[in-house]
């Protein structure tokens, strides 16, 4: 029974004491053992086999069992001893807790004692400091007061939670009273030294006042502000008297004297009072800033009173001198007092100050510039007062630009249009560059005066005269008639000329049109740049109101009209030749020869006009390409229209027309580079237009040259090609189609078709086709 209980206990123990590998490893490290019973991978069978390796050894089994029982009893005794020993741990713990409680009480006592001693020391310092502070205040010992007062204030902060104690509250009230008395006393000292009325004290600044400023740093900030305000007011009192509104020196023409006066005052201040005020007060800058505020108000007042006397030159003079002074301020001061953030030292600005840049020295074209340095913090601090009167400047620019446009018109009439073969031929008109140079000057000047509504007003003036330049100088000088015919209008050039050569523009007139086109292109590009620059200069909230799209469209219209004039001129020059083509007796042509005279005439006009136009549009190549495309789109439909008027046509006549068509096609393909020393491939878009248009003319003539049933058969052939049939299938279908065609009637039986030709003999038909192909190849 005992053995069974032990066996069951062993199974339960094994189930309960199943340890993780990490725990088992830790046990082995803490309690190392060589006993197999202590191993985590203990195997009972192996262990028994080790104890009883043979059957004979089983005779000692009782001894082995007794050993194990003895070992178990010893382990049980050890466990009981440990468990019984733990019963006294609680009592021992309570004893320890009582000891630590005593230690904690001692710690609290020590801390409270230390706090009490510190508080008593602070109280002693506070009481002694208040007594000393009151005594030093009465004696005006501001140097000692400055350090002592800060210490007393710091000590008093430790007693905020003790203000309920009457003695502490009394000391706090004495400190406040001392501070109040110091503030009143220091203000009185400054008032005595620098009275609001009268001159400064002859003795100048004193060490007492210098120490008083140190005390003011510790007092209520209002004391410091009051000292600064009174000193600056007294220092600038002379300025208000000298430059009163009724004084002659107060007017704009003597504005330099204002800035000369403050420069002298600032030098005088630095020499006499520079060390009296703490450096972090930035008194020099504060004096200069207050001077600027006073000057802005006074100038605004005097300009309102004498507004009728303000002229643009006087206004610009005053603005220039003022902005120069604001730039000087930016170089000398940091602007820290503008946001009332004292403490930054006064030092020169970075040399990249934007007001040190010479904008007038830029390239006169409106090109992008490098990014500007941060704006001058003093910009507008005085010059803002001129903004309500900038309408005088805007009106002046309106008048000046009107006179400038009139001068451009007069100069053009006096000098005449650009001459062909000269440097001016086809070039941009000089007046265009002059106009935009003046625009830029006005823009830069106005942006220095104001970036608000005046910039919008100036932009409106710019728009007005951009349109005037476009119509008066550009469109107004486009040729209206040919000098050779004396009064031939452009509309007459569009009419068909019959029996005579059409009047053409002279070479000088072609050169003028190209020059106006180039000028309009320059104006278009530069107006876009002008718009961008105006948007950079104006305030961000006004950017959307800057829009020169309408003016750019106006210049685009001038360009389009110029190209159309060139096209109409060359087109009209070709009209007589096309008329002659339609009136030739094509039914009487007996043999195919070289190109017809009308083709020679057309090519001659092309070779005369196109090189001139190309050379004068060398700087605007894209518009020359547009000219070529527009001429081709106009000429080819007109040529096909006249082709239909050629009736009746014989077979030989049709062959001759086909040859002429090939000649014209070749010339049109070479049109962009005709007469040029440099052969340049025509643009693909242009070549496609020529090939498509002239191929249509060739197909018309090929249909005319074919037998009478060929037009219908030709259409049927195209349908078969679209179906992608084999040649054998197409041939059989064409044969069946021809058999079903009606019998043709002789030409003219019932009026006949508008295009007719004489029927050739088989010998003519067989001989002329190779002959025509040979001629075409020779021409190509």
């Amino acid at each position: 029974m005992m053995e069974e209980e032990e066996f069951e206990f062993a199974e339960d123990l094994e189930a309960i004491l199943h340890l993780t590998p990490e725990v088992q490893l830790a046990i082995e490290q803490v309690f190392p053992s060589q006993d197999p019973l202590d191993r985590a991978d203990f195997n009972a069978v192996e262990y028994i086999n080790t104890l009883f390796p043979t059957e004979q050894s089983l005779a000692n089994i009782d001894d082995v069992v007794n050993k194990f029982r003895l070992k178990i009893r010893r382990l049980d005794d050890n466990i009981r001893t440990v468990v019984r020993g733990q019963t006294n741990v609680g009592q021992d713990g309570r004893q320890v807790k009582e000891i630590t409680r005593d230690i904690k009480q001692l710690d609290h006592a020590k801390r409270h004692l230390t706090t009490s001693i510190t508080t008593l020391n602070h109280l002693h310092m506070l009481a002694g400091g208040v007594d000393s502070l009151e005594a030093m205040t009465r004696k005006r010992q501001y140097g000692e007061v400055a350090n002592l007062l800060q210490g007393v204030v710091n000590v008093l902060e430790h007693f905020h939670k003790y203000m309920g104690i009457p003695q502490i509250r009394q000391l706090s009230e004495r400190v406040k009273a001392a501070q109040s008395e110091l503030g009143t006393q220091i203000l009185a000292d400054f008032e005595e030294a620098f009275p609001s009325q009268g001159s400064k004290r002859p003795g100048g600044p004193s060490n007492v006042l210098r120490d008083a400023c140190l005390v003011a740093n510790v007092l209520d900030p209002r004391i410091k502000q009051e000292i600064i305000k009174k000193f600056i007011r007294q220092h600038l009192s002379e300025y208000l008297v000298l430059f009163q509104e009724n004084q002659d020196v107060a007017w704009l023409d003597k504005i330099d004297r204002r800035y000369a006066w403050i420069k002298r005052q600032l030098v005088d201040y630095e020499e006499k009072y520079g060390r009296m005020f703490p450096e972090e007060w930035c008194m020099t800058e504060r004096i200069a800033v207050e001077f600027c505020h006073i000057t802005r108000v006074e100038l605004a007042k005097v300009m309102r009173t004498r507004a009728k006397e303000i002229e643009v030159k006087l206004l610009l003079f005053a603005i220039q001198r003022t902005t120069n002074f604001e730039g000087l301020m930016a170089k000398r001061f940091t602007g820290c007092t503008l946001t009332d953030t004292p403490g930054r030292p006064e030092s020169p600005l970075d040399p990249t100050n934007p007001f040190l840049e010479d904008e007038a020295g830029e390239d006169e074209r409106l090109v992008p510039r490098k990014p500007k340095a941060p704006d001058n913090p003093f910009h507008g601090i005085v010059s803002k007062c001129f903004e309500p009167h900038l309408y005088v400047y805007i009106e002046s620019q309106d008048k000046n630009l009107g006179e400038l446009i009139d001068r451009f018109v007069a100069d053009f009439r006096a000098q005449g249009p650009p001459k062909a073969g000269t440097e001016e031929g086809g070039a941009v008109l000089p007046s265009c560059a002059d106009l935009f140079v003046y625009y830029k000057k006005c823009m830069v000047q106005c942006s220095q005066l104001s970036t608000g509504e005046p910039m919008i007003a100036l932009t409106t003036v710019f728009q007005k005269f951009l349109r005037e330049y476009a119509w008066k100088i550009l469109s107004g000088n486009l040729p209206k008639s040919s000098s050779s015919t004396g009064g031939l209008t452009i509309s007459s050039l569009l009419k068909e000329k019959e029996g005579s050569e059409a009047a053409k523009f002279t070479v000088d007139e072609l050169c003028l049109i190209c020059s106006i086109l180039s000028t309009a292109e320059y104006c278009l590009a530069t107006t876009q740049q002008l718009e961008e620059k105006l948007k950079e200069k104006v305030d961000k909230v006004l950017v959307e109101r800057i829009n020169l799209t309408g003016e750019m469209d106006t210049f685009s219209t001038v360009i389009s009209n110029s190209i159309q004039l060139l096209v109409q001129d060359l087109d009209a020059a070709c009209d007589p030749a096309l008329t002659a083509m339609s009136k030739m007796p094509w039914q009487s042509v007996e043999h195919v020869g070289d190109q017809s005279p009308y083709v020679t005439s057309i090519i001659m006009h092309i070779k005369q006009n196109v090189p001139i136009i190309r050379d004068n549009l060398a700087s605007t190549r894209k518009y020359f390409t547009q000219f070529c495309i527009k001429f081709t789109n106009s000429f080819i439909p007109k040529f096909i229209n006249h082709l239909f008027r050629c009736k009746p046509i014989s077979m030989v006549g049709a062959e001759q027309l086909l040859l002429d068509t090939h000649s014209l096609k070749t010339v049109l393909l070479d049109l962009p580079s005709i007469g040029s020393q440099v052969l340049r491939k025509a643009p693909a878009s242009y070549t496609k237009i020529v090939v498509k248009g002239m191929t249509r003319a060739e197909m018309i003539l090929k249909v005319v040259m074919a037998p009478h049933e060929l037009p219908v058969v030709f259409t049927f052939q195209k349908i078969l090609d679209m179906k992608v049939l084999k040649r054998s299938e197409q041939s059989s279908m064409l044969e069946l189609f021809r058999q079903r065609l009606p019998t043709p009637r002789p030409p003219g039986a019932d009026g006949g078709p508008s295009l007719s030709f004489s029927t050739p003999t088989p010998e003519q038909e067989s001989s002329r086709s190779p002959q025509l192909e040979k001629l075409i190849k020779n021409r190509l």
Side-chain angles (χ1 to χ4, degrees), residues 456-563:
I456 301 298
L458 185 65
T459 301
T460 303
V461 174
F462 285 172
Q463 291 175 295
K464 171 184 173 182
F465 288 102
L466 284 173
R467 291 191 296 269
E468 285 204 14
Y469 186 86
W471 296 121
K472 290 185 177 181
I473 308 298
L474 301 182
S475 292
N477 287 305
L478 284 173
K480 301 291 190 302
S481 63
S482 174
S483 59
S484 62
T485 59
L488 182 64
T489 62
I490 291 301
S491 61
S492 68
L493 293 177
L494 301 178
K495 298 179 180 179
E496 187 179 278
K497 307 299 184 297
E498 297 185 6
S500 64
E501 287 290 320
K504 295 170 70 268
F505 286 136
T506 64
V507 175
D508 286 343
E509 288 172 331
L510 291 176
C511 177
L512 173 60
I513 295 173
C514 293
S515 181
I516 289 176
L517 192 155
S518 299
T519 303
E521 184 201 23
Y522 174 85
C523 290
L524 175 62
T526 313
T527 299
Q528 184 177 3
Q529 296 173 4
L530 175 64
E531 181 184 70
E532 294 171 357
K533 296 300 293 184
L534 286 168
K535 288 182 177 180
E536 290 179 11
K537 297 289 185 181
V538 78
D539 293 339
K540 291 182 179 180
V541 295
L542 301 176
V543 167
E544 295 299 325
R545 294 172 61 183
I546 304 291
N547 188 351
L548 303 183
T549 303
E551 289 64 43
M552 287 186 273
D553 291 342
T554 300
F555 290 117
S556 297
T557 302
V558 175
I559 293 172
S560 179
N561 292 342
S562 300
I563 294 175

Side-chain angles (χ1 to χ4, degrees), residues 285-302:
E285 179 177 326
R286 291 181 186 275
I287 294 171
V289 168
E290 183 62 22
F291 165 83
C292 291
H293 293 324
I294 294 173
T295 302
R296 184 180 68 249
V297 173
E298 293 298 316
L299 286 176
K301 188 188 304 181
V302 73

